[in-house]
Amino acid sequence: MRTRPAGIGNVNADWMGLLPSKLSAMPLKYLAVPGSHDSFTFWVDVHAPVGPDQKTYVKYLVTMFSVLAKKFMVKWSMTQVRDGLLEINSFLCRHKKEVVFLDFNHYYAMDSEHHVYLIEMLQEVFGSKLCSDCAVENITLNYLWEKKYQVIVFYHHPSAQGIPVMWPGNKIPAPWANTTEPNKLIQFLETTLKERKKQGSFHVTQAILTPTVNTVAKGLVWGLRDYLVERNLPIIMSWVQTQRPGVDGVNIITSDFVELTDFANIVIKLNNLLLSESEHKAR
């Protein structure tokens, strides 16, 4: 499963609370928010079956090399574990005006009781910080601060239906390019931004390259970070820097290994364009 924390870090730990009043009054769906991909994986088990949506070559690797191959796969996919929830809550207790999006999807080897357990754990850990599902257009930072809400959880599974603090997955679409080529990725991101829903949802721009059989083979030795991400990150970040938030612009932007660049700061600074835009209209 994936989660998307809204830019937790030391340098920008209070970035939402420091935004000008014009931006804190604006629907959050129009602000630029940094996020990460595969921020932590819940119950990563090297003995569990590989995910059903994995490509044939991944299943082949696991069949041939069993637990050894899956240990290599963990190197690719696992960056944090379930304790991350408590870490996020601790951060939020120290930074009362910061808000995180948590997007839970891609569940493997989980039956109904596992979902119940996870949903109950989310409610237990975050408690009154959880924002109830409502019209996306109503969600501003001012609204969240007034209600003392700091967490919006999106849960892509029927187990969460009827639970007010579990938002449906269709309110946070995250189109996936599924390519290793940065130019194709950028073309895809631009196309899906133009097709962004006008009402009723946030939007995730996944500035993420997806490994193929060749990158998997080489990544078994060097890892995704060294082989795929670092060489293409400058191209991706150059594109991010040219984006604008707002009605037809970017909202949540996610990337792999965000610590390799000044990713969060670059995304947060895009919100300055909304200020200059409003000042221009006022003249």
Side-chain angles (χ1 to χ4, degrees), residues 45-48 50 58-73:
D45 182 357
V46 296
H47 298 284
V50 69
V58 176
K59 294 177 181 178
Y60 173 77
L61 279 173
V62 172
T63 301
M64 292 299 294
F65 299 107
S66 187
V67 172
L68 177 62
K70 279 187 275 191
K71 285 182 178 179
F72 278 123
M73 290 168 65

Side-chain angles (χ1 to χ4, degrees), residues 202-216:
F202 298 96
H203 181 84
V204 179
T205 294
Q206 295 201 75
I208 294 161
L209 294 171
T210 305
T212 64
V213 63
N214 289 331
T215 52
V216 166

Side-chain angles (χ1 to χ4, degrees), residues 34-52:
S36 62
H37 173 249
D38 285 336
S39 301
F40 57 84
T41 302
F42 190 78
W43 290 329
V44 172
D45 182 357
V46 296
H47 298 284
V50 69

